[in-house]
Amino acid sequence: MSNDMIIRRYRAADQDIVSDLWSRAARQAHPFLVGEGEGERARILREVYLVRAENWVAERGGTVVGLLGLLPAGQGEGEGDGPGAEVGGLFVAPEAQGAGIGRQLVEHAAARHGALTLEVFEANARARRFYARLGFSERGRRTDEDTGHPLIALERAAPLKSVSWLHLREGRLLSVRTRGNDTFYLPGGKYEPGETAREALSRELAEELGLVVPAEELREAFVIHDVAHGKGGRRLHMTCFTGGPQDIAPAPGREIAEYAWFDRREAHERCAPAHRQVVGRLIAQGRMEG
């Protein structure tokens, strides 16, 4: 995926380009629906969903290439206050597909709302494979009253949210292992109620490694989306930070058995999947050797 992609709120000025994007993507995804992408369905998109839903667009190089529409979970027309959110629509311009845009939009929805639900036409095999890769599972089926085609209801639990610290020494990444576990992770952990991400990480570094890293010195680097290691396929939303002191002397505490600085090969062999994705990002940034 291009590094210049952003996700932002839909604006009324986007209507024409978003309507065209939706029309082309919908016709490609649903060739089995007569009149898809036009007529009454296009009117409903413009007059109902683009007005009532929580809409986001993916923009790359100044061009809108994706549309995400969210509704309160289980509330078809957006009424009520349910947990999580329902993905009412997810469309990527045909010429921009295969670059990770759809995945980024799904993870954006999960980061904002947690658990996600949606419906997909049974005949849309490509979309079903896409959502399966992202950890969605089937929870029911029904026949769409408007088209007569079967729909499959899918759901995905809220991702586990965590924070991690990126500390490099001579191109090697600081990693920790908990007692009774052979896998290494990045220093950090989960939030406690009422904490900001920086506050959570500052506390975790003190508890895990005896380090004093003031929250205000931490700077967000990037967010990693992956499968949480050892959590039965649950997704992970991990916010990574840099900053703080560079000359450190860790003192393992709490459940930490040991720490080490790993290069790319060692990280690939000994660390959790999300950790490996972090290493890939750091190599791309020139901060670690490939």
Side-chain angles (χ1 to χ4, degrees):
M1 184 183 64
S2 174
N3 291 330
D4 65 354
M5 196 200 84
I6 63 170
I7 296 175
R8 61 165 175 83
R9 283 276 193 176
Y10 165 82
R11 299 189 288 259
D14 299 320
Q15 184 187 89
D16 288 346
I17 190 169
V18 161
S19 296
D20 175 69
L21 181 157
W22 165 81
S23 178
R24 293 184 294 116
R27 288 199 301 268
Q28 180 190 67
H30 308 143
F32 46 87
L33 298 183
V34 176
E36 177 64 311
E38 58 188 21
E40 180 65 8
R41 293 173 73 84
R43 184 192 69 79
I44 293 173
L45 172 80
R46 292 192 304 271
E47 298 180 8
V48 179
Y49 288 108
L50 290 182
V51 175
R52 299 187 189 178
E54 177 192 327
N55 293 301
W56 297 83
V57 298
E59 189 177 273
R60 188 176 63 185
T63 300
V64 173
V65 291
L67 170 67
L68 168 71
L70 299 173
L71 306 167
Q75 304 291 330
E77 290 295 326
E79 301 172 358
D81 231 358
E86 176 185 352
V87 179
L90 175 64
F91 298 94
V92 176
E95 66 274 12
Q97 292 177 10
I101 295 167
R103 177 181 59 81
Q104 287 290 86
L105 285 168
V106 168
E107 299 300 354
H108 178 78
R112 288 182 57 80
H113 295 285
L116 299 175
T117 62
L118 59 90
E119 288 186 316
V120 61
F121 282 107
E122 183 180 43
N124 190 351
R126 183 177 181 183
R128 291 169 59 191
R129 291 192 298 270
F130 167 76
Y131 288 117
R133 288 196 300 270
L134 291 182
F136 285 82
S137 59
E138 182 176 335
R139 64 170 184 154
R141 294 179 177 235
R142 70 178 180 91
T143 299
D144 181 42
E145 295 180 0
D146 294 331
T147 66
H149 284 267
L151 287 163
I152 301 175
L154 303 175
E155 63 183 357
R156 193 181 84 170
L160 294 170
K161 297 187 72 173
S162 69
V163 288
S164 296
W165 193 41
L166 308 179
H167 188 279
L168 290 157
R169 176 177 290 178
E170 297 179 353
R172 301 167 73 91
L173 185 61
L174 178 63
S175 310
V176 298
R177 180 179 65 82
T178 57
R179 292 185 176 86
N181 195 336
D182 292 332
T183 303
F184 279 78
Y185 304 85
L186 290 171
K190 300 175 184 176
Y191 298 70
E192 288 189 354
E195 286 183 325
T196 67
R198 288 174 175 80
E199 291 168 347
L201 183 53
S202 178
R203 172 186 50 76
E204 287 283 347
L205 293 174
E207 293 174 354
E208 290 185 348
L209 296 172
L211 300 176
V212 177
V213 182
E216 60 271 17
E217 293 185 12
L218 294 167
R219 301 183 301 277
E220 183 174 333
F222 47 74
V223 176
I224 293 294
H225 303 288
D226 211 316
V227 176
H229 182 71
K231 299 295 182 180
R234 185 120 176 237
R235 301 294 297 185
L236 174 69
H237 178 281
M238 183 170 70
T239 306
C240 300
F241 291 86
T242 58
Q246 297 305 297
D247 184 15
I248 62 172
R254 211 171 64 174
E255 76 273 18
I256 300 301
E258 64 174 320
Y259 64 89
W261 273 270
F262 288 147
D263 61 17
R264 182 202 62 79
R265 178 186 59 79
E266 293 164 327
H268 180 77
E269 294 173 351
R270 306 188 64 181
C271 298
H275 192 300
R276 299 171 201 155
Q277 192 180 151
V278 167
V279 169
R281 292 279 193 99
L282 294 174
I283 290 172
Q285 293 174 359
R287 300 183 64 194
M288 291 184 69
E289 291 187 5

